[in-house]
Amino acid sequence: MEKEKQPLFQSYSKNIKYMDERLGVDKSFDIVHLDLEYAGKEMALFFVDGFVKDDIMHLLMKLLAKLEPEDLEPDPLEKLIKRYIPYVELDQTDDLNQATDMVLSGPTALFVEGINKAIIIDARTYPVRSPGEPDLERVVRGSRDGYVETIVFNTALTRRRVRDRSLRMEYMQIGRRSQTDICLCYLDDIADKDRVEELKKSLKLIDTDGLPMAEKTIEEYISGRHWNPYPTIRYTERPDTAASHLYEGHVLVIIDGSPSVMITPSTYWHHLSHAEEYRQKPLVGAYLRMVRFIAVLASIFILPLYYLFSVHPELLPKGMEFIGPNDPGVLPLLFQFLFAEIGIDILRMAAIHTPTSLATAIGLVAAILIGQVAIEVGLFSYEVILYLSIAAIGTYATPSYELSLANRIVRIVLLLTTASFGVVGYIGGVTLWIIYITRMQSFNIPYFWPFMPFSFKALRDVIIRSPIPLKNRRPTFLNPQDPDR
């Protein structure tokens, strides 16, 4: 959406008055307007308190104070930019509205009497935390730095690992009011140019006031299928993970204000991989990946399957008659599972909102009340707690938090269909789930690739963590310009 342009007025006082009104200088204490006089000319600085580097602004003002009127002749704008403002990031604009937006983003606007352009000095700084290791993507060995909430820091962390001349960082702003900074990051020699242009077009079509939830708001605009629980975009807070996807041909979206970087496109299997697998020897990494796959499958299917065997014990093979509740408890088995699922989610939300100093108390309450006491009262049976714990552990073993929540919804739906229609409900539910997930797409890419459409070599690399020297080809579904690594 094109913004209305307001060229600078011929009158210096009108320009200053317009900026005062548009920025609300008298109504916001952190919007600073400094009236100055250097070299016989009136000047004005506009900036946001807390967004500028005080030492740099102090140095620039000291240098400007030494100027004489003849120093700015015959072309004051060119003399100031090229000689008397010794700073790296300088720009100029003849649009007052753009100057206002720039000030609110952090840079400083300098207006000089007799000059029909505003000088933009990008001497901004943001409150920022140190790049610590992300909580969701910890590794035993590996780097301990992670993305933060400042876009410039995140682009620097990425470029530190990708010292490639074709690395592109394309800047844009989204949000009519928020003017949120966005960076499209890709390797120009590898990434599919059509996919880059398509993503860029989708981002430019976003028309909203702002991005209060940053990357999640963007995802809902560009991914479509709003009621689909499965994530079609992978998130990472690790620069090394982002760099490895860049080398494959993915396109990253970095949003100011969020430590999560979006990786597009992504398949189902991208959400099941973890950096820890590549920080170990190939055989150990392959073992860890297989264990993770087993845990994820158990988190989806073990509860409905246990319920099916419990209500239809004739389906059990010989030697497995022990499966099933010895003491069914007071509540029906289905309600025990549903109540326990809701109870786990309540505990998870309580843990998020509980201060760290009280986390131990929450764990004790969960273990005593929901565990032992609930069993002794007869609300739950021991088997229900056992299998629900296995499913919960499998959920927490899923690397992608978004995928774990989607799998939990599938598990509950599959449990309900099994309870309603028995064997037919279980088999039909699993079949519909497979059909649904194989028909999904992520930015016109099959979500279940390489299982569907089938690719043996790619599927082998998905199931087994292959040694890096043997992975000499980039994923074909990304259509990379340079398929060889």
Side-chain angles (χ1 to χ4, degrees):
M1 184 177 178
E2 293 293 333
K3 302 174 186 176
E4 182 182 355
K5 185 176 180 179
Q6 175 57 61
L8 268 73
F9 302 104
Q10 293 296 323
S11 171
Y12 170 80
S13 59
K14 283 187 177 181
N15 291 330
I16 302 305
K17 182 179 180 182
Y18 186 89
M19 292 292 292
D20 283 340
E21 292 177 352
R22 189 166 175 84
L23 287 171
V25 172
D26 296 332
K27 299 178 181 178
S28 299
F29 80 94
D30 60 335
I31 305 294
V32 180
H33 167 200
L34 289 180
D35 285 317
L36 308 168
E37 185 176 347
Y38 298 130
K41 292 181 179 291
E42 291 187 30
M43 300 185 185
L45 282 172
F46 291 91
F47 57 89
V48 178
D49 189 15
F51 279 1
V52 296
K53 299 175 183 176
D54 296 337
D55 51 347
I56 293 178
M57 295 307 300
H58 180 63
L59 176 62
L60 293 178
M61 291 172 69
K62 285 177 63 177
L63 294 173
L64 291 174
K66 298 178 181 179
L67 295 180
E68 298 296 334
E70 58 271 15
D71 293 334
L72 298 182
E73 299 298 335
D75 189 345
L77 178 62
E78 185 175 357
K79 289 289 184 66
L80 284 171
I81 289 181
K82 294 185 177 180
R83 182 176 298 181
Y84 296 118
I85 302 181
Y87 193 68
V88 177
E89 298 181 68
L90 292 178
D91 200 358
Q92 52 185 296
T93 180
D94 59 356
D95 183 3
L96 288 171
N97 290 343
Q98 183 182 11
T100 303
D101 293 339
M102 293 296 291
V103 169
L104 294 174
S105 298
T108 300
L110 172 62
F111 289 83
V112 182
E113 181 185 10
I115 297 180
N116 60 353
K117 289 186 178 181
I119 301 174
I120 306 300
I121 307 169
D122 194 353
R124 57 182 153 180
T125 183
Y126 290 126
V128 63
R129 63 182 175 91
S130 60
E133 185 178 14
D135 288 334
L136 290 177
E137 299 176 87
R138 292 183 180 275
V139 293
V140 177
R141 293 190 182 275
S143 61
R144 295 290 187 260
D145 58 344
Y147 288 124
V148 294
E149 288 76 14
T150 306
I151 189 171
V152 178
F153 280 57
N154 293 342
T155 55
L157 286 170
T158 304
R159 194 172 285 277
R160 179 186 178 187
R161 287 170 170 79
V162 186
R163 300 178 182 180
D164 192 298
R165 61 177 181 81
S166 70
L167 180 63
R168 299 292 180 261
M169 299 276 190
E170 296 193 20
Y171 171 82
M172 63 180 68
Q173 288 183 321
I174 297 178
R176 293 189 301 269
R177 293 180 179 273
S178 69
Q179 295 292 305
T180 304
D181 295 329
I182 303 292
C183 175
L184 207 64
C185 178
Y186 60 94
L187 287 172
D188 193 43
D189 292 346
I190 298 177
D192 184 5
K193 291 187 180 297
D194 293 336
R195 181 164 293 114
V196 173
E197 291 301 322
E198 180 183 352
L199 181 57
K200 198 184 306 182
K201 181 180 178 181
S202 299
L203 290 172
K204 290 181 179 178
L205 289 175
I206 296 177
D207 185 17
T208 184
D209 280 346
L211 305 177
M213 295 293 109
E215 76 285 351
K216 295 304 295 183
T217 305
I218 291 180
E219 179 188 358
E220 292 187 11
Y221 269 100
I222 67 177
S223 65
R225 305 186 67 148
H226 306 302
W227 300 108
N228 173 23
Y230 278 97
T232 55
I233 292 174
R234 183 184 177 183
Y235 296 99
T236 185
E237 296 183 30
R238 295 188 61 89
D240 51 358
T241 300
S244 66
H245 283 82
L246 281 174
Y247 287 125
E248 288 184 353
H250 292 266
V251 183
L252 308 183
V253 182
I254 306 174
I255 304 99
D256 188 40
S258 172
S260 298
V261 169
M262 303 170 67
I263 301 175
T264 65
S266 65
T267 66
Y268 181 84
W269 310 103
H270 280 99
H271 297 278
L272 293 179
S273 63
H274 192 271
E276 179 67 20
E277 300 162 3
Y278 294 93
R279 294 290 183 178
Q280 305 295 334
K281 296 287 287 183
L283 183 60
V284 177
Y287 167 74
L288 294 176
R289 180 171 293 185
M290 293 303 299
V291 170
R292 181 174 290 112
F293 284 172
I294 292 173
V296 173
L297 290 175
S299 71
I300 301 174
F301 300 115
I302 193 168
L303 286 188
L305 189 61
Y306 170 76
Y307 180 84
L308 181 65
F309 286 151
S310 297
V311 296
H312 296 284
E314 66 277 5
L315 298 175
L316 287 169
K318 286 187 177 181
M320 301 190 69
E321 292 83 0
F322 62 89
I323 296 178
N326 297 324
D327 182 8
V330 178
L331 294 176
L333 199 57
L334 175 63
F335 289 104
Q336 291 186 40
F337 280 128
L338 294 179
F339 289 159
E341 287 277 10
I342 294 173
I344 288 179
D345 281 331
I346 292 174
L347 281 174
R348 179 178 58 83
M349 289 186 288
I352 293 175
H353 304 304
T354 302
T356 305
S357 58
L358 300 178
T360 304
I362 286 288
L364 291 174
V365 170
I368 296 174
L369 295 184
I370 297 183
Q372 189 65 32
V373 174
I375 293 174
E376 292 179 358
V377 170
L379 293 178
F380 300 125
S381 64
Y382 286 101
E383 290 85 352
V384 168
I385 297 298
L386 170 64
Y387 289 102
L388 191 69
S389 300
I390 295 174
I393 292 173
T395 298
Y396 296 135
T398 307
S400 169
Y401 179 67
E402 291 79 13
L403 182 65
S404 68
L405 294 178
N407 287 340
R408 180 174 298 175
I409 293 177
V410 171
R411 180 172 72 225
I412 294 174
V413 172
L414 198 58
L415 186 62
L416 292 175
T417 58
T418 304
S420 302
F421 305 103
V423 178
V424 176
Y426 181 79
I427 297 176
V430 173
T431 304
L432 290 176
W433 173 74
I434 294 175
I435 294 174
Y436 178 77
I437 205 169
T438 53
R439 288 176 59 85
M440 279 181 54
Q441 289 191 337
S442 171
F443 298 91
N444 298 321
I445 297 299
Y447 191 60
F448 223 43
W449 182 91
F451 182 78
M452 186 70 67
F454 184 76
S455 173
F456 174 77
K457 185 176 180 180
L459 186 62
R460 181 199 61 191
D461 291 338
V462 164
I463 296 176
I464 301 175
R465 191 289 223 193
S466 302
I468 296 299
L470 300 182
K471 296 181 69 173
N472 54 7
R473 303 282 293 180
R474 307 186 202 279
T476 56
F477 78 96
L478 292 172
N479 192 28
Q481 299 179 62
D482 181 11
D484 296 323
R485 287 182 180 271

